[in-house]
Amino acid sequence: MKVIKLHEGRSHEWLVFGRDEERPSKIIDTNQYMIKTTNHAIMLDPGGIELFSAMLAAVVHHVPVQQITHLFASHQDPDIISSLGLWDKTLPHAELHAPWLWEGFLRHFGCNSIRYNPLPDEGKSLRLDDIELQFIPAHYMHSSGNFSVYDPQAKILMSGDIGAALLPDGAPMFVEDFDAHVDKMRLFHQRWMPSNRAKKDWVRRVRQLDIEYMAPQHGAIFKGRDVQRFLDWLDELEVGTGIK
Amino acid sequence: MQFRSKNSAHFFINAATVAADLSVVLTEAKNISLEAMNAKALVARAGDNVRTFKPITDFMVELANDTIWLVKEINREALVLSRTSLAELHSSDANLRFAKAQQKASTAPYVETLDPIAKMAYNQHHQQSVQLRRHMRKLFELLDEIESRMLAANVVTATSRLEAATAADSYQASLEGIVVKLEKAANRIKHIATKCRHSLER
Ligand SMILES: [Fe+2]
Ligand SMILES: [Fe+2]
């Protein structure tokens, strides 16, 4: 599992875990994120069950496992959170922040000890030591109950499936050539994103944020000017193409 | 009886299948019960002509009741076993995944923070395995019991045949009919019990 430090500040750091070499080939590649503060850590979209051992092993290179007190699931998909049953054994005192809409569904993965903290549709924020994370509504992008995470201090937006790209194994962690990258994103957004109205709403919300890095759950991370270029591109893109 | 963990993946399916197979046994046991009623009526009607047949009908009633009870027990135990083996499978999977994480993180600075969790997963798996073996033993005991009941039934059918042969002519055919039905039902039950045993031993 590759680990990259996305941000290192006085009060906290962002780590991205991905490009696991041992991932079975038919499983979609995912990026997992961890924000580590003085006394806490939160994992954002901690990943599927098949990745669990590699994730847990990678995590303890950076924090004692008991320091992870929070989990976040942007939505209910298996590549996001099917590892929940095992995290439940690992971190029985942790809290899971996930859309209220999916509580009854996510509990099928096993959530006996972890406390499920349902996120209301309008979103909310979470204080972790010196930082405040914002859960930004991203409903129907692609899941009907869905959130992005924004960290105003680090200026990072974890965008879940939005900005995802289907890349070959071993691809770089950052977008290097935006125009070339568009080809790797188009199908994903057209087919997985169902609603142009939802897309416009999310773009409008996100345009108000000051973003240095936009970090999706699949593919490569956008930085600087590419974030705006992505928003412009998505704004124009026709989505929901499954229905002809 | 032997339990091998490599089979546990299929085991919960087999245990569920056993429960399904047993429904046939229940039908057969109910048939025995019905035949026993017929036999009782016949014995009452025939009076002294078939007096020696009376204990046999009593046995048939007892056999049918015992079998019905045993099948219900086996059914319950098979479902518990299916659930237990699934829990064992999950705990085994979790145990392996924690052990793998520990091994992969052997050089990590906080690897020892995984120790209590890995240990807990190991213990849980161990407990589940013990449970699984316990329930399995119970189920085999019940299957043993049903098989030995059917062996007893075979002995009784042999005696009944002799009794039927010595009965008055007008009752012979009816008595033999009852004996044949009892024998058939007992053999089918035994066959299914053996099949269940084999599918669990597989
Ligand atoms: Fe998804
Ligand atoms: Fe995804």
Side-chain angles (χ1 to χ4, degrees):
Chain A
M1 182 82 70
K2 228 175 166 171
V3 187
I4 291 174
K5 204 168 276 183
L6 197 54
H7 169 84
E8 188 166 19
R10 223 170 19 85
S11 55
H12 71 302
E13 58 185 48
W14 273 74
L15 296 163
V16 50
F17 303 82
R19 310 289 189 266
D20 182 29
E21 306 84 12
E22 289 173 35
R23 170 180 58 90
S25 63
K26 287 195 172 167
I27 287 180
I28 190 169
D29 191 31
T30 50
N31 304 324
Q32 289 69 233
Y33 297 89
M34 185 168 78
I35 307 169
K36 183 183 150 192
T37 61
T38 318
N39 301 307
H40 296 276
I42 180 168
M43 299 200 33
L44 311 178
D45 289 351
I49 192 164
E50 290 299 330
L51 220 78
F52 175 78
S53 299
M55 263 310 284
L56 187 58
V59 158
V60 291
H61 278 274
H62 304 275
V63 287
V65 75
Q66 291 78 9
Q67 192 174 330
I68 306 167
T69 46
H70 297 264
L71 298 174
F72 163 80
S74 60
H75 61 290
Q76 84 295 0
D77 269 345
D79 63 324
I80 300 279
I81 186 75
S82 62
S83 56
L84 180 60
L86 291 167
W87 288 111
D88 190 72
K89 288 185 196 292
T90 312
L91 311 166
H93 304 296
E95 239 177 273
L96 169 67
H97 305 269
W100 71 268
L101 192 69
W102 294 119
E103 178 167 357
F105 299 71
L106 277 173
R107 285 185 180 278
H108 275 279
F109 287 135
C111 185
N112 302 315
S113 307
I114 285 179
R115 194 157 74 83
Y116 193 107
N117 197 334
L119 295 175
D121 279 345
E122 65 276 18
K124 69 190 244 186
S125 53
L126 172 71
R127 181 139 209 111
L128 277 187
D129 293 322
D130 297 333
I131 65 161
E132 183 139 321
L133 297 173
Q134 297 169 13
F135 301 120
I136 312 274
H139 308 311
Y140 304 102
M141 293 294 283
H142 64 95
S143 169
S144 43
N146 200 40
F147 291 90
S148 306
V149 182
Y150 180 59
D151 172 358
Q153 273 191 41
K155 297 181 181 171
I156 298 173
L157 178 76
M158 203 292 278
S159 55
D161 277 338
I162 308 166
L166 304 172
L167 304 179
D169 283 351
M173 278 308 296
F174 293 90
V175 174
E176 291 172 351
D177 176 349
F178 183 83
D179 293 324
H181 193 67
V182 160
D183 284 340
K184 313 278 194 316
M185 298 192 289
R186 190 176 293 109
L187 171 76
F188 189 94
H189 290 79
Q190 286 186 322
R191 190 63 183 81
W192 264 273
M193 304 295 165
S195 158
N196 287 302
R197 204 177 121 207
K199 178 201 73 176
K200 290 272 184 200
D201 182 74
W202 185 81
V203 170
R204 180 187 57 78
R205 284 173 195 277
V206 168
R207 280 200 197 278
Q208 294 162 18
L209 309 172
D210 183 6
I211 301 169
E212 182 58 35
Y213 289 104
M214 193 187 102
Q217 190 236 352
H218 307 280
I221 298 167
F222 301 82
K223 58 180 175 201
R225 250 174 56 77
D226 281 343
V227 176
Q228 290 313 313
R229 296 175 78 184
F230 172 77
L231 294 177
D232 293 342
W233 172 80
L234 183 64
D235 209 7
E236 290 300 309
L237 188 75
E238 181 78 15
V239 300
T241 58
I243 293 174
K244 298 280 188 290
Chain B
M1 191 237 314
Q2 196 187 9
F3 170 69
R4 290 164 304 229
S5 65
K6 74 181 168 68
N7 287 339
S8 65
H10 300 291
F11 195 75
F12 67 94
I13 305 170
N14 291 345
T17 312
V18 163
D21 284 346
L22 287 169
S23 62
V24 180
V25 174
L26 203 58
T27 313
E28 292 294 345
K30 283 175 181 162
N31 284 342
I32 293 181
S33 182
L34 207 67
E35 274 320 305
M37 299 300 172
N38 278 339
K40 272 194 139 161
L42 188 72
V43 168
R45 230 178 14 247
D48 273 356
N49 287 320
V50 293
R51 191 169 32 82
T52 49
F53 217 80
K54 168 97 173 47
I56 294 166
T57 60
D58 291 343
F59 171 80
M60 282 169 75
V61 172
E62 201 182 308
L63 181 73
N65 289 342
D66 284 1
T67 308
I68 289 170
W69 180 83
L70 271 169
V71 167
K72 284 184 177 158
E73 275 296 294
I74 293 176
N75 206 351
R76 198 180 51 79
E77 200 56 44
L79 290 175
V80 171
L81 188 62
S82 182
R83 213 170 32 239
T84 313
S85 59
L86 197 57
E88 196 274 344
L89 187 65
H90 282 154
S91 67
S92 159
D93 181 68
N95 182 34
L96 286 174
R97 289 186 197 272
F98 283 117
K100 192 172 170 200
Q102 247 182 337
Q103 181 205 329
K104 280 172 87 89
S106 58
T107 59
Y110 303 110
V111 65
E112 81 283 356
T113 65
L114 296 181
D115 292 350
I117 305 153
K119 191 157 181 236
M120 188 199 63
Y122 178 86
N123 287 340
Q124 273 178 1
H125 177 227
H126 177 73
Q127 277 167 19
Q128 291 291 349
S129 305
V130 170
Q131 284 282 323
L132 181 58
R133 270 192 284 267
R134 198 168 65 76
H135 285 295
M136 187 128 173
R137 209 174 302 122
K138 180 85 202 295
L139 185 58
F140 275 98
E141 277 168 15
L142 289 167
L143 285 171
D144 276 350
E145 203 166 328
I146 216 165
E147 280 176 307
S148 72
R149 289 296 154 99
M150 295 311 125
L151 284 176
N154 279 346
V155 174
V156 170
T157 48
T159 335
S160 318
R161 269 222 167 80
L162 290 175
E163 292 295 336
T166 58
D169 281 357
S170 51
Y171 296 107
Q172 249 184 38
S174 307
L175 290 176
E176 259 161 22
I178 290 168
V179 171
V180 167
K181 281 182 184 155
L182 172 64
E183 191 174 37
K184 269 194 179 152
N187 283 341
R188 287 210 47 177
I189 291 174
K190 190 169 177 305
H191 172 75
I192 291 165
T194 310
K195 193 178 140 213
C196 289
R197 170 192 302 282
H198 286 162
S199 76
L200 290 174
E201 277 169 346
R202 219 186 303 139

